[in-house]
Amino acid sequence: MPRNKSQNQQLRDERREQILSQALMLFAKRGLAATKITDIADASAISQGLMYHYFSSKEAIFVELISRAFDRLNQACRWLEEQSMPPLEKITFALTELLKLLDQDEHAACYHLLIAQATASDAIPDEAKAIILRENTFPYESISRIMAAGQQEGTIKQYDADQLALIFWTSINGLAIYKAVHGTKYLAPNVEILVGMFQSNHL
Amino acid sequence: MPRNKSQNQQLRDERREQILSQALMLFAKRGLAATKITDIADASAISQGLMYHYFSSKEAIFVELISRAFDRLNQACRWLEEQSMPPLEKITFALTELLKLLDQDEHAACYHLLIAQATASDAIPDEAKAIILRENTFPYESISRIMAAGQQEGTIKQYDADQLALIFWTSINGLAIYKAVHGTKYLAPNVEILVGMFQSNHL
DNA sequence: GTCTATATCCAGATAGAC
DNA sequence: GTCTATCTGGATATAGAC
């Protein structure tokens, strides 16, 4: 019994996802240039030639991953802003979830690392650069708005909201990298330490 | 008039330093794999072939830079520990200096970025890995000791000192990367925000 | 010491057999 | 759809001229 079109398509999609998943790990750990297409093929347990039936090039895989990474991140930010929670609680919630992700969800941690790596590197495809340029500011602005709202309430410290957002994300990025390096030996820091940067003292 | 031996040696050393300096910038921005030896040669205004009179390989340059980066960092940590300053002041001083460095000293910022990049990447020479493994813990331990001393005094928050040290360095790393990416558009955050993570509230 | 020219190697991408 | 074999380009490293 031959498979029909939609079944074939589904199989193809699954394989694609599998390749993307393996590529994500490798790119996150080694970077784009140092990851060979054979590495991805080996990790995906397919031949190198077959890779080109699913993706037109190594760079195409990278670009798709970068695009997805920002989609996830920006969607999460949008969701957070929409919640009816006091601003300080949103910040605490976000930090808690991010630390949990880094600690427990290898896949999610790699997405975060990919963003950190890609934004830090000059040596990425132009298309990826364009995505970063377009999408990267949103998470900063989103957190900045929440910080500003918290300052109105007096629950968040009265520094420049953009600076607070900057430190929010750079701290998370730094932790993501540390986790990637030290793996097992990493023990997640107490969320309260991070929250302490933003929370007003006089509560 | 022919130059004597020591003059020749000096010239040679200067050229070597020049190459290292250019390589540092490139490695920090693009990573090891994505930096071609011709890039370094071009930036140093010498031919590609001549590179091999000064260094045996691209990797050798990288290893020397990593080694120097840790020498600088660890020496600075040692110096800080030796000062007769209250612990909290040491932390504030260190953060102030690090932010100033990131903001104003391109060269120093690249060293920091190189460490961040190299520790984050799997795709570096074994020799570089060995250096990182050997040298990387010192800065963490050093800051952790200062944190612990501050806790004894009651000037620093009573969280696990290792966690505080971890956050200290990962925050700086995150900022270093952000700075590298956004360059001109980066405005250094207020030191007090960072200090606020560590300083006891009841002062 | 410095350059140009060249050998070697390896990774990305393609072609063609099954 | 999947593999193996091959082409091609580019980067490292070397050799040899000046």
Side-chain angles (χ1 to χ4, degrees):
Chain A
M1 182 171 86
R3 292 190 297 267
N4 64 31
K5 241 184 186 173
S6 88
Q7 279 175 321
N8 270 332
Q9 187 57 40
Q10 197 195 331
L11 242 59
R12 190 184 161 82
D13 287 349
E14 275 167 25
R15 180 64 64 95
R16 251 182 81 95
E17 290 304 316
Q18 230 257 320
I19 293 170
L20 282 167
S21 174
Q22 296 299 328
L24 172 61
M25 308 278 195
L26 289 164
F27 286 146
K29 283 202 210 312
R30 310 169 58 85
L32 171 63
T35 303
K36 288 170 283 188
I37 202 125
T38 49
D39 295 338
I40 304 172
D42 287 352
S44 309
I46 61 172
S47 75
Q48 185 251 39
L50 189 53
M51 292 291 300
Y52 293 88
H53 278 254
Y54 294 95
F55 296 94
S56 60
S57 71
K58 188 173 78 163
E59 257 115 54
I61 304 177
F62 188 81
V63 168
E64 177 150 350
L65 283 171
I66 287 288
S67 173
R68 287 187 183 204
F70 278 108
D71 282 352
R72 288 168 59 112
L73 184 60
N74 290 349
Q75 210 176 328
C77 288
R78 230 173 281 123
W79 179 87
L80 185 67
E81 280 202 83
E82 283 165 7
Q83 297 314 107
S84 58
M85 239 184 246
L88 179 61
E89 226 176 281
K90 284 190 189 178
I91 296 294
T92 307
F93 179 82
L95 288 170
T96 308
E97 290 301 308
L98 283 165
L99 287 183
K100 207 193 294 174
L101 236 55
L102 287 186
D103 202 33
Q104 294 164 9
D105 186 340
E106 179 78 5
H107 204 252
C110 282
Y111 265 120
H112 211 89
L113 193 57
L114 185 76
I115 290 181
Q117 267 228 178
T119 45
S121 174
D122 219 18
I124 57 172
D126 285 343
E127 209 179 329
K129 273 196 194 131
I131 293 173
I132 291 173
L133 207 64
R134 175 158 39 84
E135 309 278 359
N136 191 40
T137 53
F138 186 78
Y140 287 90
E141 290 169 353
S142 182
I143 292 295
S144 179
R145 282 191 290 270
I146 297 174
M147 293 286 184
Q151 289 175 329
Q152 293 241 326
E153 285 192 2
T155 50
I156 285 183
K157 286 183 180 166
Q158 299 293 334
Y159 297 106
D160 181 85
D162 287 342
Q163 284 189 15
L164 292 176
L166 173 72
I167 293 191
F168 177 99
W169 283 117
T170 53
S171 299
I172 292 293
N173 273 350
L175 282 169
I177 289 175
Y178 186 91
K179 166 69 191 326
V181 182
H182 297 85
T184 56
K185 177 166 137 240
Y186 163 86
L187 76 136
N190 197 315
V191 177
E192 290 172 40
I193 305 175
L194 291 171
V195 175
M197 275 197 289
F198 310 115
Q199 184 172 18
S200 275
N201 287 331
H202 48 75
L203 291 176
Chain B
M1 180 173 84
R3 292 189 297 268
N4 65 30
K5 242 184 185 173
S6 88
Q7 279 174 322
N8 270 333
Q9 187 58 39
Q10 196 195 331
L11 242 60
R12 189 183 161 82
D13 287 349
E14 276 168 24
R15 180 63 64 95
R16 252 181 80 94
E17 290 305 316
Q18 230 258 320
I19 294 170
L20 283 167
S21 174
Q22 297 298 328
L24 172 61
M25 308 278 195
L26 288 165
F27 285 146
K29 282 204 211 312
R30 309 170 59 85
L32 171 64
T35 303
K36 288 169 283 188
I37 204 124
T38 50
D39 296 337
I40 304 173
D42 288 351
S44 309
I46 61 172
S47 74
Q48 184 251 43
L50 189 54
M51 291 293 298
Y52 293 88
H53 278 254
Y54 293 95
F55 295 94
S56 61
S57 71
K58 187 174 78 164
E59 258 105 46
I61 304 176
F62 187 81
V63 168
E64 178 150 348
L65 282 171
I66 287 288
S67 172
R68 287 187 182 203
F70 278 108
D71 281 353
R72 289 168 59 113
L73 183 59
N74 290 348
Q75 209 175 328
C77 288
R78 230 173 282 122
W79 178 87
L80 185 66
E81 279 202 84
E82 283 166 6
Q83 298 313 106
S84 58
M85 239 185 246
L88 179 60
E89 226 175 284
K90 285 190 188 178
I91 295 296
T92 307
F93 179 83
L95 288 171
T96 308
E97 291 301 309
L98 283 165
L99 287 184
K100 207 192 296 172
L101 235 57
L102 287 187
D103 202 33
Q104 294 165 9
D105 186 341
E106 178 79 5
H107 204 251
C110 282
Y111 265 120
H112 212 89
L113 193 58
L114 185 77
I115 290 182
Q117 267 227 178
T119 45
S121 174
D122 219 18
I124 56 173
D126 286 344
E127 208 179 329
K129 275 197 193 132
I131 293 173
I132 292 173
L133 207 63
R134 176 158 39 84
E135 309 277 358
N136 191 40
T137 53
F138 186 78
Y140 287 90
E141 290 169 353
S142 182
I143 293 294
S144 180
R145 281 191 290 270
I146 297 174
M147 294 287 183
Q151 290 174 328
Q152 292 242 327
E153 284 191 3
T155 50
I156 285 182
K157 286 182 179 165
Q158 298 293 334
Y159 296 108
D160 181 84
D162 287 342
Q163 285 189 15
L164 292 176
L166 173 72
I167 292 191
F168 177 99
W169 283 118
T170 53
S171 298
I172 292 293
N173 273 350
L175 282 169
I177 289 175
Y178 186 92
K179 166 68 190 330
V181 182
H182 297 84
T184 56
K185 176 165 136 240
Y186 164 85
L187 75 137
N190 197 315
V191 176
E192 290 172 39
I193 305 176
L194 290 171
V195 175
M197 276 198 289
F198 310 116
Q199 185 172 17
S200 274
N201 286 333
H202 47 74
L203 291 176

